[in-house]
Amino acid sequence: MTTSTPRTVFGSLDNYRKGGIEVTQGDARHYVFSNIFEVAAGSASYERVVVGKNLEYVVEAARAEGQSAWFTCSHDEFVISMDGEVRVDFVKLDAPPAAADGAVLAEPTGRKMGHVVLGKGHQSLLPAGCAYRFSAPRPCALLLQSKLGALSVEKWADICLH
Amino acid sequence: MAMLDLAGKPQAATFAADKVQSGAPDPVSGYRDFTLGAFRFSRDAYFATVQWPARGQLRTHAIPADAFLRAMMRDVAWGFFYGWVNFDHVFGTRNHYGKVDVYAGAFNGVMKEAGVDYTETFDTPVIMATFKAILHDWTNEGFDPFAAPEETGTAFGHKHGNNVAAIERTRIATRRMPGLPDDSPLRDDLPVNRAFLDVAQDEPEVHAEPGFEGQLHAFNLFKYLSRSDVTWNPSVTSVCGQSLFCPTTEEFILPVFHGNDRVEWFLQLSDEIIWDIGDKNTGAPRARVTMRAGDICAMPADIRHQGYSTKRSMLLVWENATPNLPRRYESGELKPYPVEF
């Protein structure tokens, strides 16, 4: 790499630089602008904070720190580690979850499927009907693709530019 | 629908190559001109020129050839995308998913008020065949309309050769997630882009218990994006019902001003993009949004946007592909912005 090659700038919980909105006409609130690292840093560990909402679908930000509860969901979800290491353990549930939008808490009764270890920028499938649990040795930010559900936390006024 | 078709869904059934109307190559420039309904398209060494009838006169609009080809490349590759694809402040297309409007001045406040605008609706295969024929004829050897300016040669000059490989790239369609069996491939065969040489190329560890091999799936999304060989081309990497994550790598200027027929969201994964936001109908400026790594924001359904990215950057475009959304936004059932707080 030559010195003229610019560095690729990623964010992290302890190092992000939020952008902003210069409004000519209208209301800055309509852009629903937040920063996922700021949101994850300011929330309880594994609190699933909605940072994007498109009708019934959501993008959630969470801070992984220590071990989470077990979650399950009746549809596929996805997780991306945005800045660090997180382990995801999977269990094939004996009794699949009832059909519902979004994740719910689960009892991990079933066979162990294995685990994945995600680093920065790594994405994992969270398959429909499995239970999953996160463990993070150090705090890191997660991005979740799901539907608005019982565990989704909406606190737009706290997180968005206005 | 549009470019965000999922793998396995049928593409446009017919390709109407026989409906393309083109002239003989110009003796000086070497380029053909094309007719689509009442529109006429021509190019010379520097400019693409569009003409249409309005108020009893032939109206004319010129666009630099490089900008025109970059815009047309996206419109073709995306299958006319969602909603409005403005090549610039005058000319563009609106997708009706089966039919497509081509317009000049119809979403320019001044031209619309003066009555010099014109819109004509075409069956998708006819406009697709014509636009592809224009791209083939007008893209010279050495110019890749999918690349950033620093990565490719010039679009200017008289006709010399072609670049079929660049404009015939197949679209990436994903059912569930890249790398799964029977799904779109990963990009290990593509080189890392020069602007992403510092992006880690490690893959996640996947440990499946006996009997569950192949059921756990993870990949390095940032590595995948670092190997994208095109700019400004949202491609699906995860599917949750109608919710599509469509990340892309961005450099220079988004070649179109996109006015969506629904709300979409952007999440900046790396570096920085500045978005110019205008009124969807008139083009009047509304806002300028600066997004850095970790920033997420909505693009309301009543605006058009165009992004600027100095360094090649990673952007997550998040779409809701539910088919009836345009009608629900137009009827006022849904507000143009997604959240009230």
Side-chain angles (χ1 to χ4, degrees):
Chain A
M1 202 165 75
T2 66
T3 51
S4 64
T5 305
R7 190 171 60 92
T8 300
V9 178
F10 293 105
S12 64
L13 284 173
D14 56 9
N15 188 12
Y16 61 88
R17 214 173 131 228
K18 197 172 174 179
I21 307 172
E22 299 167 34
V23 173
T24 305
Q25 273 191 314
D27 188 342
R29 290 168 193 255
H30 292 172
Y31 301 95
V32 201
F33 188 115
S34 68
N35 179 287
I36 63 155
F37 299 110
E38 183 178 69
V39 170
S43 302
S45 183
Y46 296 109
E47 185 182 7
R48 299 170 70 122
V49 183
V50 184
V51 291
K53 183 180 175 187
N54 202 327
L55 303 174
E56 71 267 42
Y57 297 101
V58 293
V59 174
E60 295 166 336
R63 185 177 76 258
E65 185 171 359
Q67 195 164 71
S68 77
W70 286 91
F71 300 99
T72 187
C73 187
S74 63
H75 53 77
D76 278 351
E77 300 173 286
F78 299 85
V79 63
I80 302 168
S81 168
M82 292 296 290
D83 71 345
E85 186 179 312
V86 64
R87 171 179 162 138
V88 194
D89 284 279
F90 294 90
V91 166
K92 187 82 176 175
L93 292 175
D94 293 337
D101 283 358
V104 294
L105 296 175
E107 289 297 328
T109 310
R111 286 176 63 200
K112 283 186 180 175
M113 299 175 73
H115 70 274
V116 301
V117 180
L118 307 179
K120 182 176 82 177
H122 295 180
Q123 171 181 319
S124 179
L125 171 66
L126 305 171
C130 299
Y132 60 89
R133 180 179 69 179
F134 301 110
S135 313
R138 285 173 297 282
C140 83
L142 303 181
L143 197 68
L144 294 146
Q145 180 185 13
S146 188
K147 294 173 102 171
L148 189 70
L151 300 176
S152 306
V153 176
E154 294 188 79
K155 48 180 181 183
W156 301 103
D158 295 339
I159 65 172
C160 291
L161 295 179
H162 56 271
Chain B
M1 86 165 38
M3 131 282 166
L4 298 170
D5 277 0
L6 305 182
K9 292 200 178 163
Q11 301 293 307
T14 49
F15 183 73
D18 57 323
K19 301 267 176 62
V20 176
Q21 296 180 43
S22 64
D26 180 86
V28 176
S29 73
Y31 298 110
R32 295 177 190 274
D33 55 21
F34 294 83
T35 303
L36 180 64
F39 285 99
R40 181 172 176 275
F41 299 86
S42 58
R43 86 154 278 188
D44 57 30
Y46 281 128
F47 303 109
T49 299
V50 184
Q51 292 181 300
W52 67 94
R55 294 188 62 182
Q57 267 193 325
L58 194 62
R59 308 282 167 171
T60 303
H61 178 63
I63 304 175
D66 59 338
F68 181 86
L69 291 170
R70 286 191 186 102
M72 187 161 263
M73 182 75 258
R74 300 313 184 286
D75 216 11
V76 164
W78 299 342
F80 304 104
F81 208 37
Y82 293 114
W84 290 258
V85 173
N86 299 285
F87 284 39
D88 66 358
H89 59 295
V90 174
F91 179 79
T93 62
R94 183 191 177 182
N95 199 354
H96 296 287
Y97 315 103
K99 289 184 184 294
V100 178
D101 292 341
V102 178
Y103 55 81
F107 298 93
N108 176 303
V110 173
M111 293 176 74
K112 180 82 180 167
E113 196 174 311
V116 298
D117 62 302
Y118 179 73
T119 303
E120 190 170 338
T121 306
F122 302 96
D123 289 332
T124 299
V126 173
I127 173 176
M128 180 57 86
T130 303
F131 275 23
K132 283 193 98 167
I134 292 172
L135 263 183
H136 273 277
D137 192 66
W138 292 4
T139 304
N140 290 316
E141 184 177 1
F143 179 66
D144 180 353
F146 244 137
E150 210 179 56
E151 298 182 302
T152 188
T154 176
F156 301 126
H158 291 162
K159 180 157 180 63
H160 53 281
N162 54 46
N163 193 350
V164 176
I167 61 183
E168 286 291 341
R169 287 187 178 98
T170 52
R171 198 170 70 202
I172 295 162
T174 298
R175 281 191 193 87
R176 197 177 184 200
M177 179 167 157
L180 283 167
D182 303 321
D183 215 324
S184 62
L186 299 178
R187 292 180 176 155
D188 294 357
D189 295 340
L190 290 174
V192 178
N193 184 274
R194 78 205 190 294
F196 289 134
L197 290 174
D198 59 344
V199 173
Q201 300 290 308
D202 62 313
E203 288 289 352
E205 297 173 29
V206 178
H207 304 275
E209 295 289 335
F212 292 105
E213 295 87 352
Q215 293 193 34
L216 304 185
H217 184 60
F219 79 128
N220 184 341
L221 176 67
F222 291 176
K223 169 188 172 185
Y224 178 87
L225 294 173
S226 74
R227 292 164 183 260
S228 164
D229 63 343
V230 291
T231 62
W232 306 101
N233 190 38
S235 301
V236 180
T237 54
S238 50
V239 179
C240 170
Q242 298 285 346
S243 158
L244 308 179
F245 273 13
C246 316
T248 150
T249 63
E250 319 297 51
E251 185 174 337
F252 191 51
I253 303 175
L254 172 60
V256 304
F257 232 117
H258 180 217
N260 208 334
D261 56 17
R262 61 196 71 209
V263 171
E264 67 187 318
W265 288 74
F266 294 151
L267 198 165
Q268 193 69 35
L269 296 172
S270 83
D271 307 294
E272 176 178 307
I273 293 179
I274 290 166
W275 295 98
D276 263 346
I277 316 283
D279 182 277
K280 186 163 77 181
N281 291 314
T282 68
R286 285 244 195 122
R288 184 175 190 269
V289 176
T290 300
M291 299 186 72
R292 302 200 185 99
D295 288 342
I296 179 168
C297 84
M299 291 290 126
D302 60 352
I303 59 96
R304 64 177 79 173
H305 57 264
Q306 181 171 48
Y308 294 71
S309 183
T310 298
K311 182 192 174 297
R312 201 183 196 89
S313 65
M314 298 183 183
L315 173 71
L316 173 60
V317 176
W318 178 40
E319 296 281 359
N320 181 338
T322 304
N324 65 357
L325 289 184
R327 184 174 47 75
R328 294 173 68 191
Y329 283 107
E330 286 208 338
S331 70
E333 177 202 337
L334 297 175
K335 290 197 168 148
Y337 43 90
V339 178
E340 274 188 283
F341 63 92

